[in-house]
Amino acid sequence: MEKVPGEMEIERRERSEELSEAERKAVQATWARLYANCEDVGVAILVRFFVNFPSAKQYFSQFKHMTEPLEMEKSPQLRKHACRVMGALNTVVENLHDPEKVSSVLALVGKAHALKHKVEPVYFKILSGVILEVIAEEFANDFPPETQRAWAKLRGLIYSHVTAAYKEVGWVQQVPNATTPPATLPSSGP
């Protein structure tokens, strides 16, 4: 596991490249199969995210006290948030042909998380890594390297747009409280 940059470090700029037509189709085909089971997949993603990165729960008063995966899975609030996350991702994936729409959606998400929820932007990178892990597991026999690269590219694109929104609103990194352990990023993957 790799540590998340400390509060005094500046995150390196993520590359943001547009996806080619073939990459868009690969992402959309994978996503369509995943989104068919939207709520359960979203819950699996968030449960893994919160179990592996418990410091992320600090932003969720409704379920930050939960430690057991089964308890999280059954939480109506977590399930509702999972559906919102999956819905936002669905809007992005469905509109990959329209960079302005993608930018607009991610700007709204970024600004809301910066201004209203005060979520550190690095959690978007961490969450997108968890999403890629879940996709890789769900489609272990049908997730070829070119599709993996397309998803990695989308991950960079999402993070780039979200962090641009944070910068646009003048985000200043929040000082972590003493009880918040540093999060970690998976060492493998893009």
Side-chain angles (χ1 to χ4, degrees):
M1 294 279 200
E2 175 185 350
K3 291 204 181 241
V4 169
E7 67 250 18
M8 302 310 278
E9 290 184 43
I10 299 171
E11 284 190 48
R12 64 185 161 81
R13 182 90 175 136
E14 292 291 311
R15 278 189 7 220
S16 173
E17 301 175 39
E18 295 298 321
L19 277 70
S20 70
E21 183 64 25
E23 290 168 328
R24 281 194 300 270
K25 286 181 179 179
V27 165
Q28 289 170 331
T30 309
W31 180 254
R33 295 188 334 229
L34 206 61
Y35 196 66
N37 195 9
C38 169
E39 186 175 347
D40 289 338
V41 171
V43 167
I45 289 167
L46 287 185
V47 168
R48 180 178 300 193
F49 177 57
F50 292 134
V51 166
N52 292 343
F53 306 97
S55 63
K57 289 190 296 182
Q58 70 184 307
Y59 302 106
F60 297 92
S61 60
Q62 317 92 312
F63 44 85
K64 69 180 179 182
H65 62 282
M66 295 179 188
T67 56
E68 295 300 317
L70 190 56
E71 180 184 18
M72 287 182 222
E73 286 175 18
K74 292 181 179 184
S75 165
Q77 297 91 348
L78 189 137
R79 294 190 84 77
K80 184 177 176 183
H81 191 67
C83 288
R84 280 197 305 271
V85 169
M86 295 295 281
L89 277 170
N90 190 57
T91 302
V92 168
V93 172
E94 283 186 345
N95 289 285
L96 286 174
H97 64 281
D98 185 352
E100 287 183 26
K101 176 75 173 180
V102 169
S103 182
S104 173
V105 168
L106 293 173
L108 288 172
V109 169
K111 288 174 184 176
H113 283 77
L115 298 173
K116 184 178 177 185
H117 307 298
K118 309 284 190 234
V119 174
E120 289 291 336
V122 72
Y123 285 106
F124 282 91
K125 182 187 284 186
I126 296 168
L127 179 60
S128 63
V130 172
I131 292 167
L132 292 182
E133 287 177 10
V134 170
I135 293 170
E137 289 172 13
E138 286 287 319
F139 303 112
N141 298 323
D142 191 21
F143 197 48
E146 59 274 6
T147 303
Q148 292 176 35
R149 284 190 295 276
W151 274 97
K153 207 177 205 184
L154 179 59
R155 177 186 186 200
L157 183 99
I158 290 170
Y159 188 67
S160 175
H161 282 288
V162 168
T163 55
Y166 271 71
K167 288 176 185 159
E168 186 180 320
V169 299
W171 174 262
V172 176
Q173 188 163 12
Q174 307 298 299
V175 178
N177 65 39
T179 62
T180 305
T184 55
L185 287 172
S187 57
S188 62

